[in-house]
Amino acid sequence: MYELTTIEDTVRIPPSSFDNPFKETAIEILNRKYVGKTDKKLGILVMVTDILEHNVGQVVIGDGSAFYHVTFKALFFKPVLHEVVDGEVMEVTEFGAFIRIGPIDGLVHVSQVTDDFITYDQKRGALVAKETPKSLEKPDFVRARIVAVSIKGKTTKDCKIGLTMRQPGLGRFEWIDEEKSKKK
């Protein structure tokens, strides 16, 4: 789930940027500082969107930069347990597939791809069903449900998202379309 949140911080504007528009410069500096960082309550910061307020900058002796206390809007992505998400297959291994959902990858374990028995085809780099013509490979688009969330540490590398595609209405988009066709 994406959410806009208001945050306060101090931003350091170097002298070389004094001629540039303040909002653009502050947003760029805050994005470099925060994009991809995680917070247990808010999730993963995707981008700083706007500067809402700022005070008059203060110059620190010996530094030359101006420091501004700012209030800004930031867009966060917080994976929510049982949320249904769409994503793209980024990598397939013999133990499952990594699916890009927003700014992070989640793992669909091989046991959670489909009810059919799945094997890994190393030549194709694909997970292939034994009894049906279903397969999963890069760059397929899928719909999955979040079944496990672990946001730890300060970056997305420390986060783990578990996904399943074994429920009705989930899986590769082509599988979902086939299910709908059969019901009509």
Side-chain angles (χ1 to χ4, degrees), residues 22-39:
F22 174 78
K23 275 190 172 186
E24 291 174 20
T25 303
I27 288 172
E28 181 182 325
I29 290 168
L30 289 167
N31 274 322
R32 278 191 303 225
K33 182 177 179 180
Y34 288 117
V35 168
K37 302 288 190 233
T38 61
D39 179 275

Side-chain angles (χ1 to χ4, degrees), residues 156-168:
T156 55
K157 292 181 182 188
D158 302 322
C159 300
K160 307 270 189 268
I161 309 297
L163 303 169
T164 186
M165 297 190 319
R166 285 185 65 170
Q167 298 165 343

Side-chain angles (χ1 to χ4, degrees), residues 2 46 77 85-87 99-105:
Y2 287 92
V46 177
F77 174 76
V85 292
D86 291 345
I99 312 295
R100 173 80 31 94
I101 53 169
I104 192 168
D105 291 349

Side-chain angles (χ1 to χ4, degrees), residues 44 77 79-80 83 85-93 95-110 112-113 127 136 140 142-151 156-165:
I44 303 158
F77 174 76
V80 177
E83 178 180 14
V85 292
D86 291 345
E88 180 181 359
V89 176
M90 300 307 290
E91 181 183 358
V92 177
T93 67
F95 58 84
F98 290 95
I99 312 295
R100 173 80 31 94
I101 53 169
I104 192 168
D105 291 349
L107 173 67
V108 177
H109 188 269
V110 69
Q112 295 299 308
V113 173
L127 296 174
L136 189 65
D140 290 339
V142 300
R143 179 163 294 143
R145 181 180 308 278
I146 297 174
V147 293
V149 177
S150 174
I151 296 180
T156 55
K157 292 181 182 188
D158 302 322
C159 300
K160 307 270 189 268
I161 309 297
L163 303 169
T164 186
M165 297 190 319

Side-chain angles (χ1 to χ4, degrees), residues 69-84:
H69 182 77
V70 295
T71 303
F72 61 94
K73 284 267 189 203
L75 179 67
F76 282 88
F77 174 76
K78 183 171 186 180
V80 177
L81 204 57
H82 306 298
E83 178 180 14
V84 174

Side-chain angles (χ1 to χ4, degrees), residues 1 14 19-20 34 39 56 59 62 64 72 76 83 99 106 128 141 162 166 173 178 180:
M1 170 174 35
D19 289 339
N20 300 338
Y34 288 117
D39 179 275
V56 175
V59 177
F72 61 94
F76 282 88
E83 178 180 14
I99 312 295
V128 181
F141 288 92
R166 285 185 65 170
F173 287 165
E178 286 174 19
K180 287 179 186 175

